[in-house]
Amino acid sequence: MIPPGSTIGILGSGQLGRMIAVAAAQLGYRCHVYAPASGPACDVAAAFTRGGYDDAAALAAFARRCDVVTYEFENIDPAAIDVVAECAPVRPGRASLEIGAHRGREKTLAQDCGGRPAPWRAVASLDQLGAALDEIGTPAILKTATEGYDGKGQIRLRHAGEATAAWATMDGRECVLEGFVGFTHEFSILLARGIDGDAVAYPPPHNIHVEGILARSLVPAPDIVARQAAAAIALARALADRLEHVGVLTCEFFATDDGPIFNEMAPRVHNSGHWTVEGATTSQFENHVRAICGLPLGTADLTGDRVEMENLIGDDADRWRDLLAEADAHLHLYGKRDARPGRKMGHVTRVRR
């Protein structure tokens, strides 16, 4: 066990790191952020080291000042994890990062664990894209295998004649082609798993996306999602156990008439779990801290009858005065100065009783 008063290292300086650091501070921990540039997490952390993820000396010096290290996003070279792990335990470990950062690997693992992703093929050339389209058909979506998020790094193909232009936009990067599935709702499973293998799953939120970006998460989800939650949780648990994952693991699903379809996973706390700060007995961020430090996990019960999380994207954050005037609104602003279109500037949670 890593007791309160110890230092938690966080790789990455974004808003997820910020909320991990806030939860850690409430439990008496200090946080030390490592990233190439300052970000929202630095505003609330006890220390910050500026360095590249390819700077072995800086990574090792950072890790020696930490009692445990975690990461707030998965676009980190696994070699950086190896450097850090020589000086401090890293939770989740390298396996979770390697799988969760690559769409093809996570789909393969999901299949190995009994899950069912949408039809997909790995694509590394225009010829392979053509062959994949012949097998899967259209409409389909071409995605980069790594580093895609919030609708980035992907393009829809309505017919095979768009293959050449679509492949050109990927600049030769490794990709996956996914077939479309008919679904009624999107939802996610947030699972916190401890060092001892104990796990806690949150009620699945119904996630509503606009232009590829999460707009709202609603709990409890509609009945069709509730009926498929047990199967989805079982897959998330199987993935976490296979990876020996420690911390929060997020799996996204499509609810269909034939059961849940696995979409993708993130080896970390997740935007679709922000509602848990006020909407659950123990937030995803606190349970992540508890897990990586070897503490007992907290319960995931709802604190109200209905919870809604709304992302504040771009200029939406300018509504902060009106949101503060709402009696049941809990406002979170991330401290970002540049409200670019599509950029997550904060969120608001409403708990109804």
Side-chain angles (χ1 to χ4, degrees):
M1 183 183 74
I2 296 170
S6 303
T7 297
I8 298 172
I10 302 174
L11 296 172
S13 62
Q15 64 261 22
L16 296 177
R18 179 189 183 98
M19 287 180 271
I20 291 172
V22 169
Q26 291 175 332
L27 293 177
Y29 294 91
R30 292 166 51 88
C31 284
H32 185 162
V33 171
Y34 183 99
S38 177
C42 301
D43 295 340
V44 299
F48 169 55
T49 294
R50 186 188 303 272
Y53 297 121
D54 58 351
D55 188 336
L59 282 166
F62 153 77
R64 283 193 289 268
R65 297 174 62 187
C66 302
D67 297 291
V68 64
V69 176
T70 191
Y71 44 86
E72 60 119 31
F73 77 128
E74 57 268 40
N75 295 329
I76 300 171
D77 188 334
I81 301 299
D82 294 339
V83 173
V84 172
E86 292 181 0
C87 305
V90 180
R91 298 169 183 155
R94 176 181 176 133
S96 295
L97 182 74
E98 282 189 309
I99 298 297
H102 191 282
R103 287 191 168 100
R105 292 177 195 147
E106 66 188 14
K107 291 177 188 298
T108 298
L109 181 61
Q111 289 173 314
D112 291 346
C113 290
R116 185 165 55 110
W120 71 282
R121 296 291 185 274
V123 173
S125 69
L126 179 57
D127 287 343
Q128 288 185 1
L129 175 57
L133 285 168
D134 287 343
E135 293 183 48
I136 293 176
T138 55
I141 186 164
L142 183 66
K143 300 180 179 179
T144 56
T146 60
E147 298 184 357
Y149 63 96
D150 288 346
K152 300 178 177 66
Q154 56 185 262
I155 185 170
R156 295 188 179 191
L157 287 81
R158 293 166 296 179
H159 52 80
E162 296 178 329
T164 300
W167 182 249
T169 67
M170 297 304 178
D171 198 27
R173 297 179 61 187
E174 183 183 4
C175 295
V176 297
L177 182 76
E178 297 178 7
F180 273 43
V181 295
F183 64 91
T184 61
H185 300 82
E186 295 181 70
F187 70 98
S188 54
I189 297 297
L190 296 110
L191 182 91
R193 183 180 184 274
I195 296 172
D196 60 359
D198 186 27
V200 172
Y202 289 87
H206 169 209
N207 300 321
I208 300 170
H209 294 79
V210 177
E211 296 182 354
I213 301 175
L214 180 64
R216 283 181 169 80
S217 291
L218 308 172
V219 185
D223 287 346
I224 187 172
V225 173
R227 292 194 299 270
Q228 298 181 17
I233 290 170
L235 177 59
R237 180 61 191 263
L239 290 168
D241 288 344
R242 181 76 67 90
L243 295 168
E244 298 184 347
H245 187 90
V246 176
V248 169
L249 176 72
T250 306
C251 295
E252 296 182 74
F253 292 88
F254 300 119
T256 76
D257 293 338
D258 296 323
I261 298 291
F262 173 84
N263 182 24
E264 58 189 29
M265 60 171 271
R268 53 169 171 79
V269 292
H270 195 263
N271 190 184
S272 67
H274 288 359
W275 63 270
T276 64
V277 176
E278 291 85 20
T281 305
T282 313
S283 77
Q284 65 164 340
F285 304 102
E286 180 178 333
N287 259 338
H288 186 76
V289 171
R290 288 181 181 223
I292 66 174
C293 292
L295 308 180
L297 299 177
T299 59
D301 298 333
L302 294 181
T303 59
D305 297 323
R306 181 176 176 81
V307 184
E308 175 190 16
M309 187 283 296
E310 175 190 358
N311 269 333
L312 302 177
I313 300 169
D315 292 341
D316 283 348
D318 293 342
R319 298 161 44 212
W320 61 268
R321 292 178 184 84
D322 294 335
L323 293 169
L324 287 174
E326 290 187 29
D328 64 347
H330 302 272
L331 179 64
H332 297 255
L333 296 176
Y334 306 148
K336 299 178 181 179
R337 297 177 182 175
D338 185 11
R340 298 189 302 269
R343 192 181 196 197
K344 295 173 182 173
M345 303 298 294
H347 71 271
V348 61
T349 304
R350 300 176 179 89
V351 181
R352 307 286 167 79
R353 297 177 174 87

